[in-house]
Amino acid sequence: MISDALLERIKEKLKGQRKISFLVGAGLSAESGIPTFRGKDGFWVSGSKNYQPEEIGTKAMFDVNAHAVWEWFLFRISMMRDSQPNAGHRALVEMQDLLGDRYALISQNVDGLHFKAGSDENCLFLIHGDLRYMRCSEECSKQLYPIPAEVADQERTRSTKLTFEELQLLVCPKCGEMARPHVLWFDEYYNQSYYRLHDVLRIAKETGLLFVVGTSGATNLPRAIVNNTLARQGIVVDINPNSNYFSEKLSSKKNGFWIQGKSGVVLPRVVEIMKEHL
Ligand code: APR
């Protein structure tokens, strides 16, 4: 699974002082039963129309059909609520404990499974938001509010509609405008205050060994993170059962590697290596 050449490079980086970071995407949670975005279950039906996540997860769609957007996110929340962390999430927590200050976890996942597994919020950077929270859609402040349990804890299917009472709860407690899920939408930009943009770009520069796990590379901050690590002679290792943007990019770099496998299998193996060689 891990070639001798890669093992030597990992051992060398473990002995150094630079950060060892993980950049993860939806594939990490696939073994917990949560569909990835660009897999075959990623679509959404509203009325008689099929939407791709790229259409439904937008501010433009929220502005014309906030109900449909909330219904999509609340369905995802309901699916996530019943999901449990898998061996990949647990391995990340073990590495956090082994590496201490050298560890950083940059996650695109809004599913809360890092918290259920026991990840420490101080070294966890949620660059696409956190679906436990909502915020004012009119930006009256930057305050985050937990999504009310009366709404978040409901069982939902793909066709569950929002009730009038639920809509009354999905408002900004401060100004009364509609609240929105605390996530980065496709037609929005990364920033520091919600998504830790500058922190993660700095961390990428300080990283000597970066594992990219379960992400297709469709979004631009993950691409910039990988470039920052490569530019400072860091090693980047893609863990993914399928070829993707990163596996292809890394194949032409002397500091790039691809481990073709599932995160729930490969990450526990990385833990063993760390225990042996740190
Ligand atoms: N282990 C590792 N990787 C896996 C596994 C697994 N068990 N199963 C699937 N994958 C890989 C797929 O091969 C794919 O490359 O996970 C990746 C999932 O890709 P996407 O669905 O595009 O998810 P992600 O890269 O996280 O999407 C990025 O786009 O929709 C937005 O904001 C959303 O955070 C999301 C972002």
Side-chain angles (χ1 to χ4, degrees):
M1 181 201 302
I2 297 181
S3 68
D4 288 347
L6 173 55
L7 185 59
E8 283 313 309
R9 303 298 301 276
I10 292 177
K11 279 160 59 177
E12 173 196 312
K13 292 294 177 186
L14 288 176
K15 299 236 176 306
Q17 299 299 317
R18 291 172 72 189
K19 277 197 180 298
I20 298 181
S21 306
F22 295 81
L23 166 63
V24 305
L28 177 74
S29 296
E31 289 160 79
S32 295
I34 298 180
T36 60
F37 284 89
R38 292 168 186 82
K40 58 180 172 7
D41 297 324
F43 69 92
W44 179 249
V45 182
S46 179
S48 57
K49 263 195 96 176
N50 287 340
Y51 293 102
Q52 296 298 323
E54 290 85 344
E55 298 169 276
I56 196 91
T58 59
K59 181 74 165 75
M61 177 66 94
F62 186 84
D63 287 343
V64 295
N65 194 347
H67 295 195
V69 175
W70 263 117
E71 281 163 4
W72 187 61
F73 279 101
L74 289 169
F75 169 64
R76 287 191 71 88
I77 288 171
S78 138
M79 200 162 45
M80 292 162 189
R81 201 188 44 244
D82 300 333
S83 306
Q84 293 306 320
N86 63 54
H89 296 98
R90 292 192 292 273
L92 287 167
V93 178
E94 279 198 73
M95 290 188 271
Q96 162 193 295
D97 295 342
L98 287 167
L99 292 165
D101 288 351
R102 290 180 70 195
Y103 173 90
L105 173 55
I106 301 168
S107 181
Q108 299 170 80
N109 297 347
V110 295
D111 56 29
L113 289 180
H114 296 302
F115 299 110
K116 285 190 189 167
S119 280
D120 178 349
E121 298 211 25
N122 292 319
C123 40
L124 173 59
F125 299 82
L126 296 175
I127 60 172
H128 288 171
D130 183 343
L131 260 187
R132 297 175 303 171
Y133 295 100
M134 61 183 197
R135 60 182 208 246
C136 180
S137 65
E138 294 298 323
E139 300 263 337
C140 79
S141 79
K142 295 212 178 297
Q143 183 69 41
L144 303 183
Y145 305 97
I147 297 178
E150 297 91 317
V151 184
D153 289 353
Q154 292 299 318
E155 283 297 319
R156 291 176 200 272
T157 66
R158 283 178 171 276
S159 49
T160 308
K161 297 280 167 221
L162 268 177
T163 64
F164 177 75
E165 290 72 25
E166 286 173 334
L167 272 171
Q168 307 282 93
L169 294 169
L170 296 174
V171 293
C172 171
K174 195 167 171 208
C175 73
E177 284 292 339
M178 189 94 203
R180 55 166 283 174
H182 171 50
V183 290
L184 177 70
W185 283 332
F186 285 96
D187 53 354
E188 295 180 318
Y189 296 103
Y190 291 100
N191 60 44
Q192 170 65 17
S193 52
Y194 291 137
Y195 309 114
R196 314 284 300 271
L197 171 66
H198 303 309
D199 292 341
V200 297
L201 288 173
R202 177 184 44 77
I203 285 170
K205 289 182 186 162
E206 295 167 1
T207 292
L209 175 57
L210 173 68
F211 291 93
V212 178
V213 184
T215 180
S216 62
T219 43
N220 54 38
L221 182 53
R223 293 182 181 202
I225 289 168
V226 166
N227 287 338
N228 273 6
T229 299
L230 287 172
R232 306 268 167 131
Q233 278 67 54
I235 291 175
V236 180
V237 183
D238 184 35
I239 299 174
N240 197 314
N242 306 308
S243 112
N244 65 85
Y245 170 83
F246 293 117
S247 60
E248 278 168 34
K249 178 185 175 82
L250 296 171
S251 67
S252 64
K253 308 273 175 201
K254 71 176 187 333
N255 283 353
F257 298 87
W258 175 26
I259 303 175
Q260 187 170 13
K262 292 185 172 186
S263 43
V265 176
V266 180
L267 288 174
R269 173 71 190 116
V270 178
V271 173
E272 285 171 13
I273 293 171
M274 283 190 188
K275 283 184 174 162
E276 218 172 306
H277 298 286
L278 257 179

